[in-house]
Amino acid sequence: MESTGKKERIVIIGAGFGGLTLAKHVDKSRYEVVIVDRRNYHSFPPLFYQVASSGLEPANIAFPIRRELRARRMRDARYHYGKVTEIDMKAREVATQYERIPFDKLVIAAGTTNNFFGIEGLDEHVYTMKTVPEAVRARNAILGRLERGSLERDPEKRRALLTFVVVGGGPAGVEVAGALGEMKRYIVPREYPGIDRDEVRVILVEGTDKLLGTMTAASGRDAETALGELMVDIYLKRTVKSVADGVVTFAGGTTLEAETVVWTAGVTGVPFHLTGTEVQAGRGGRFVVDEYNRVEGLEGVYAIGDIAMHADERYPRGCPQVAQPAIQQARTLACNLNSGNFTRPFSYNDKGSMATIGRNRAVVDMGKTHFSGFPAWLLWMAVHLMSLMGMRNRVMVFFNWCLNYFNFGSPLRVLMRPSRLPLPSFRDE
Amino acid sequence: MESTGKKERIVIIGAGFGGLTLAKHVDKSRYEVVIVDRRNYHSFPPLFYQVASSGLEPANIAFPIRRELRARRMRDARYHYGKVTEIDMKAREVATQYERIPFDKLVIAAGTTNNFFGIEGLDEHVYTMKTVPEAVRARNAILGRLERGSLERDPEKRRALLTFVVVGGGPAGVEVAGALGEMKRYIVPREYPGIDRDEVRVILVEGTDKLLGTMTAASGRDAETALGELMVDIYLKRTVKSVADGVVTFAGGTTLEAETVVWTAGVTGVPFHLTGTEVQAGRGGRFVVDEYNRVEGLEGVYAIGDIAMHADERYPRGCPQVAQPAIQQARTLACNLNSGNFTRPFSYNDKGSMATIGRNRAVVDMGKTHFSGFPAWLLWMAVHLMSLMGMRNRVMVFFNWCLNYFNFGSPLRVLMRPSRLPLPSFRDE
């Protein structure tokens, strides 16, 4: 791709909340904006767990980037399909498998991926939830195990097939476990006559002594209660050492037979290969930035969202890795880029945090206020609907939620394995 | 699986229109009904092409079998997940990869799969449309080629990337080509600023001298006109000899560079391995049946739908392989099974046939009446909505169609490749 030579070109890596918000607010009469993403859609991670539990369809929470660029304020931004394979600081180019894109300014907004903490082979033996296809894969596994379990007559194999382990007691883990608990409590008795409900085990494993460690203690306790009502077993202070061939081994040596292990225990920044510089991502795969989201040591390079890390007094380990800081950082950075002088430092306005458990419960922390149960769930619903991109998606999700609510869930239990046909020719795809 | 020994057990292979209709109408106080299907959902083939062209979501046209079995008249039928690997006529058992299921009566209702007419390696180089995952694979290919094409600067490669060939001028081929034509005419100019509309070529290839050979000549002509308006090139009297590495070779030797070839040129019955008998499927993979859908030479074995073949004066090559004969045969067979004496022969009541081209055109033949254009399209919509299973699916599809209509299509252009992570352990899955 050649530079037009007129405007400065900003290349944005990643079309998540941070990248798209930035593209929207950057002054397109001053900058040429190019968004690069390996996927042609923006997606909505807070609801991935509902894809895994068959409550929503993948497309409900995925929005084509090109469609978004048709919006009035986005029309002059361009989208390029491709996975970034190198950031060349000497040539000031971003390389993908298809092309090299020169930049004047670069914004890294690629977010995070799974962190397996160096446990050997773990990625091959667990199900993860960091992208929509990963959530679909988890869904297929869950539905497949139920089908297999209902046919299996060897009691030991049957037990392993019907044991679902969720590792990680953060919001993602609590939400997946809640959805699985709902499945055990309400769906299995109704739709799987070959399975006794008590044969199904849902186990949530957390390394510390409480759930939802980033939220208030009250939220953690309320989550425990709600999960208990959904027949989820909670193992606190347990660390997973390995998962292989249907066996989970904990630190200390105890084991558990389970065919399905969902891993939500950690994230790390999407890895990048930077050349022509000493600077690389730091701890947790995050780029260290100053209060203007400038990557330290790299001129004209910025990082926002989950992959950026700025320690201050309030957040000594950086902002929480959720949507709000990414959106707020993108707005501030756009302001600074538009004005040309970096005078507005970023300051995170924490609007609170929430997690949902099952069909009609949630926990909410807002400042010092905590509440839970049905009102929290209504607020959770409203906030998530508003954050979804596109009116169609909002309507579809709302419609699905209403049906799920009155129906007790999940008419979408379609186990749709990808086609196994080999992929036609094209060389380097 | 053990027989309860009380009622006679009917095993139905396949949960398509034939299999589910039969399960619904068979008298469950007289028979124990077991449905076996390798997929846990019923799907709706007439709309697969809309999945491929991003107009509908996979789940809109896929309906979980277990959910369907919750309906009042189905409650006593059981579903077993598994792919039939053998029909053992000696033991009178159906074997899947998971179990052996004894039967008293067996109904083969497994439908058809792609027919490549023995062309070597074709399955690896073309995209097919006989299942939902195949349609999703085609969608990913189409969207991927557009993205790649918009980045490619080598003119020859670019041309191959932006050439879409559809083989087969039947309803499926005409419908896919129409959807691709619509994409060329309306979507590309709006969403792919890097592609000139005229660079995109959509080519429909048919071996005979007309489109829609099973319909009236007027329908074929109207389809040609409508496709022409959608900028589709139609190659008649051309037969594909091979497809490999982005090159289509026709009988006669001419070639065409195209990265994307959609194959709709033929079907054959899903293959089965019968043991303990000389009887096997006949021409086109279909089981020859009498006018009561009894498979000739096999006691207590029946075939219905696309995989059954009964030649009579009206249909010397058997009924058309569409939904209506399957549904009607299932009803007649249920009657005969319920009464116990086979006194009601099957007679096909042909309600007509139709095909749609693009966003608001269709052709309809009803007896000797032919009409086309917008009224035909309204009828096409109504008939297909009514045939969909489940109110949620009907509402979703209708909602999508309305949005697509006013929006000129396809806010669902999500290229969602399956997760490439290796699949966790379980032995024989």
Side-chain angles (χ1 to χ4, degrees):
Chain A
M1 185 175 183
E2 283 148 45
S3 181
T4 56
K6 291 167 209 158
K7 302 179 196 172
E8 276 199 296
R9 179 186 288 156
I10 300 180
V11 171
I12 302 170
I13 304 176
F17 286 111
L20 283 186
T21 305
L22 185 74
K24 189 168 164 189
H25 291 280
V26 159
D27 180 355
K28 262 77 76 185
S29 68
R30 174 162 182 172
Y31 293 107
E32 183 194 348
V33 174
V34 174
I35 301 171
V36 186
D37 199 300
R38 61 190 298 187
R39 284 180 276 272
N40 82 334
Y41 54 91
H42 164 86
S43 58
F44 192 70
L47 295 178
F48 286 175
Y49 84 96
Q50 293 206 5
V51 170
S53 60
S54 310
L56 289 175
E57 273 317 290
N60 295 153
I61 57 164
F63 201 88
I65 296 167
R66 289 190 182 276
R67 171 99 192 163
E68 184 57 17
L69 296 188
R70 277 164 60 183
R72 200 172 46 80
R73 295 179 62 181
M74 298 283 255
R75 239 166 240 173
D76 294 315
R78 286 281 191 117
Y79 165 64
H80 282 229
Y81 179 65
K83 182 187 173 190
V84 172
T85 52
E86 183 195 351
I87 297 173
D88 182 342
M89 287 308 302
K90 204 161 169 210
R92 295 190 78 80
E93 288 178 344
V94 162
T96 72
Q97 71 268 56
Y98 304 127
E99 59 176 341
R100 297 184 75 86
I101 310 172
F103 62 81
D104 299 299
K105 298 191 186 313
L106 176 69
V107 181
I108 303 172
T112 56
T113 184
N114 297 294
N115 189 351
F116 299 114
F117 301 105
I119 305 177
E120 194 94 17
L122 195 59
D123 57 336
E124 298 190 17
H125 293 284
V126 297
Y127 293 91
T128 50
M129 308 273 297
K130 284 295 290 176
T131 64
V132 187
E134 288 170 48
V136 170
R137 178 170 164 268
R139 174 200 288 203
N140 285 342
I142 293 164
L143 296 175
R145 299 313 194 245
L146 285 175
E147 292 298 348
R148 297 281 316 284
S150 74
L151 299 176
E152 183 59 63
R153 282 193 280 174
D154 177 296
E156 215 168 289
K157 280 191 188 170
R158 191 176 167 101
R159 198 168 161 80
L161 280 166
L162 296 177
T163 300
F164 299 87
V165 175
V166 179
V167 185
V174 164
E175 285 167 343
V176 176
L180 287 169
E182 202 128 76
M183 181 192 78
K184 169 181 177 171
R185 178 150 185 183
Y186 300 111
I187 307 292
V188 166
R190 243 181 351 189
E191 294 198 0
Y192 295 85
I195 303 176
D196 186 280
R197 185 170 73 183
D198 296 329
E199 293 184 281
V200 178
R201 288 188 302 166
V202 180
I203 298 165
L204 177 61
V205 179
E206 161 62 30
T208 71
D209 61 352
K210 61 177 181 179
L211 299 180
L212 301 175
T214 57
M215 296 182 67
T216 59
S219 285
R221 280 193 306 271
D222 287 349
E224 273 195 59
T225 311
L227 286 172
E229 282 170 26
L230 292 172
M231 306 172 137
V232 174
D233 298 323
I234 300 167
Y235 292 5
L236 295 175
K237 294 192 258 183
R238 294 263 212 133
T239 312
V240 171
K241 220 177 69 186
S242 73
V243 180
D245 297 325
V247 179
V248 181
T249 307
F250 296 100
T254 54
T255 62
L256 178 66
E257 300 226 347
E259 286 296 335
T260 316
V261 179
V262 180
W263 183 263
T264 69
V267 297
T268 183
V270 167
F272 285 105
H273 180 54
L274 275 73
T275 58
T277 173
E278 295 295 297
V279 178
Q280 299 292 343
R283 201 166 161 247
R286 298 168 88 173
F287 287 93
V288 177
V289 296
D290 66 13
E291 69 269 42
Y292 302 99
N293 283 90
R294 298 182 288 210
V295 175
E296 290 185 0
L298 294 178
E299 180 62 32
V301 179
Y302 313 87
I304 56 176
D306 293 1
I307 204 170
M309 150 80 188
H310 174 63
D312 60 17
E313 273 170 31
R314 278 164 69 215
Y315 300 98
R317 301 170 66 189
C319 279
Q321 289 169 295
V322 293
Q324 272 303 319
I327 293 170
Q328 295 177 24
Q329 285 168 7
R331 289 213 177 112
T332 309
L333 180 58
C335 258
N336 286 325
L337 288 168
N338 291 344
S339 71
N341 45 27
F342 279 63
T343 51
R344 189 198 278 211
F346 173 69
S347 167
Y348 178 39
N349 169 18
D350 187 353
K351 296 183 177 171
S353 51
M354 42 176 71
T356 177
I357 304 110
R359 198 173 52 94
N360 55 8
R361 297 270 200 111
V363 292
V364 173
D365 292 336
M366 292 170 74
K368 287 193 173 110
T369 320
H370 159 80
F371 60 108
S372 64
F374 190 73
W377 180 74
L378 284 180
L379 182 66
W380 179 92
M381 276 223 317
V383 166
H384 284 80
L385 274 181
M386 294 306 299
S387 316
L388 272 176
M389 209 163 264
M391 195 42 71
R392 175 192 294 230
N393 285 350
R394 282 183 207 145
V395 172
M396 289 288 195
V397 168
F398 186 67
F399 181 67
N400 268 320
W401 281 350
C402 290
L403 281 185
N404 291 350
Y405 185 80
F406 292 110
N407 241 335
F408 273 98
S410 312
L412 301 173
R413 273 185 301 287
V414 169
L415 195 178
M416 201 169 286
R417 290 190 196 287
S419 168
R420 287 187 186 197
L421 286 169
L423 265 181
S425 56
F426 205 79
R427 274 68 78 169
D428 45 2
E429 202 157 33
Chain B
M1 186 174 182
E2 283 149 43
S3 180
T4 54
K6 292 169 208 156
K7 301 179 195 171
E8 276 199 296
R9 180 187 287 159
I10 300 180
V11 170
I12 301 170
I13 304 176
F17 286 111
L20 283 186
T21 305
L22 184 73
K24 189 167 164 190
H25 290 281
V26 158
D27 179 356
K28 262 77 74 184
S29 67
R30 172 161 184 173
Y31 294 106
E32 183 194 348
V33 174
V34 174
I35 302 171
V36 186
D37 199 299
R38 62 191 298 186
R39 285 180 276 271
N40 83 334
Y41 54 91
H42 163 85
S43 59
F44 192 69
L47 295 179
F48 286 175
Y49 84 96
Q50 293 205 5
V51 171
S53 60
S54 310
L56 289 176
E57 275 315 291
N60 295 153
I61 56 163
F63 201 89
I65 297 167
R66 289 191 182 277
R67 172 98 192 164
E68 184 57 18
L69 297 188
R70 276 164 60 183
R72 198 171 46 81
R73 296 179 62 179
M74 299 284 255
R75 240 167 238 174
D76 295 316
R78 285 281 190 118
Y79 166 63
H80 282 229
Y81 180 65
K83 182 187 174 190
V84 172
T85 51
E86 184 195 352
I87 297 174
D88 183 342
M89 286 309 301
K90 204 162 168 208
R92 294 191 79 80
E93 287 178 345
V94 162
T96 72
Q97 70 268 57
Y98 305 125
E99 58 176 342
R100 298 183 75 87
I101 310 172
F103 61 82
D104 298 299
K105 297 191 187 312
L106 176 69
V107 181
I108 304 172
T112 56
T113 183
N114 297 293
N115 188 352
F116 299 114
F117 301 105
I119 305 176
E120 195 93 19
L122 195 59
D123 57 337
E124 296 189 18
H125 294 284
V126 297
Y127 293 92
T128 50
M129 308 274 295
K130 284 294 290 177
T131 63
V132 187
E134 288 172 49
V136 171
R137 178 170 164 267
R139 175 200 288 201
N140 285 342
I142 293 164
L143 296 174
R145 299 312 193 245
L146 287 175
E147 293 298 347
R148 300 280 317 281
S150 75
L151 300 175
E152 183 60 62
R153 283 193 279 175
D154 176 297
E156 215 168 289
K157 279 191 190 170
R158 191 174 166 103
R159 197 168 162 80
L161 280 166
L162 296 177
T163 300
F164 299 87
V165 175
V166 179
V167 185
V174 164
E175 285 168 345
V176 176
L180 287 169
E182 202 128 75
M183 181 192 79
K184 169 181 178 172
R185 178 152 186 182
Y186 301 111
I187 307 293
V188 167
R190 243 180 352 187
E191 293 199 359
Y192 295 84
I195 303 177
D196 186 279
R197 184 171 71 183
D198 297 328
E199 292 185 282
V200 178
R201 288 188 303 165
V202 180
I203 298 165
L204 177 60
V205 179
E206 161 60 30
T208 72
D209 61 352
K210 59 176 182 185
L211 300 180
L212 302 176
T214 57
M215 296 182 67
T216 59
S219 284
R221 281 193 307 271
D222 288 349
E224 273 194 58
T225 311
L227 287 172
E229 281 169 28
L230 292 173
M231 305 172 138
V232 174
D233 298 324
I234 300 167
Y235 291 7
L236 295 176
K237 293 192 261 186
R238 293 266 211 130
T239 313
V240 171
K241 220 177 68 188
S242 72
V243 180
D245 297 323
V247 179
V248 181
T249 307
F250 296 100
T254 54
T255 61
L256 179 66
E257 300 225 347
E259 286 297 335
T260 315
V261 179
V262 180
W263 183 263
T264 70
V267 298
T268 184
V270 166
F272 284 105
H273 182 53
L274 275 73
T275 57
T277 173
E278 294 295 297
V279 178
Q280 299 292 341
R283 200 165 161 248
R286 298 168 88 175
F287 287 94
V288 177
V289 296
D290 66 13
E291 68 268 42
Y292 302 99
N293 283 92
R294 298 183 287 210
V295 175
E296 290 184 0
L298 293 178
E299 180 63 32
V301 179
Y302 313 88
I304 56 175
D306 294 1
I307 204 169
M309 151 80 188
H310 173 64
D312 61 17
E313 274 170 32
R314 278 163 69 215
Y315 300 98
R317 299 170 66 187
C319 279
Q321 289 169 296
V322 294
Q324 271 302 319
I327 293 169
Q328 294 177 25
Q329 286 167 7
R331 289 210 176 114
T332 309
L333 180 58
C335 258
N336 286 324
L337 288 169
N338 291 346
S339 71
N341 44 26
F342 278 63
T343 51
R344 189 198 276 211
F346 173 69
S347 168
Y348 178 39
N349 170 18
D350 187 352
K351 296 183 176 171
S353 51
M354 43 176 69
T356 178
I357 304 110
R359 199 172 51 93
N360 56 8
R361 297 271 200 109
V363 291
V364 173
D365 293 336
M366 293 171 74
K368 287 192 173 107
T369 320
H370 159 78
F371 60 108
S372 64
F374 190 74
W377 180 74
L378 285 180
L379 182 66
W380 179 91
M381 276 222 319
V383 165
H384 284 79
L385 275 180
M386 294 305 299
S387 315
L388 273 176
M389 209 164 265
M391 194 44 71
R392 176 193 291 230
N393 285 351
R394 281 183 206 145
V395 172
M396 289 287 195
V397 168
F398 186 67
F399 180 68
N400 268 321
W401 281 350
C402 291
L403 283 185
N404 291 350
Y405 186 79
F406 292 110
N407 241 335
F408 274 98
S410 311
L412 301 173
R413 272 185 302 287
V414 169
L415 196 177
M416 201 169 285
R417 288 190 198 287
S419 167
R420 286 185 187 198
L421 287 169
L423 265 181
S425 57
F426 206 79
R427 275 66 80 168
D428 46 0
E429 202 157 35

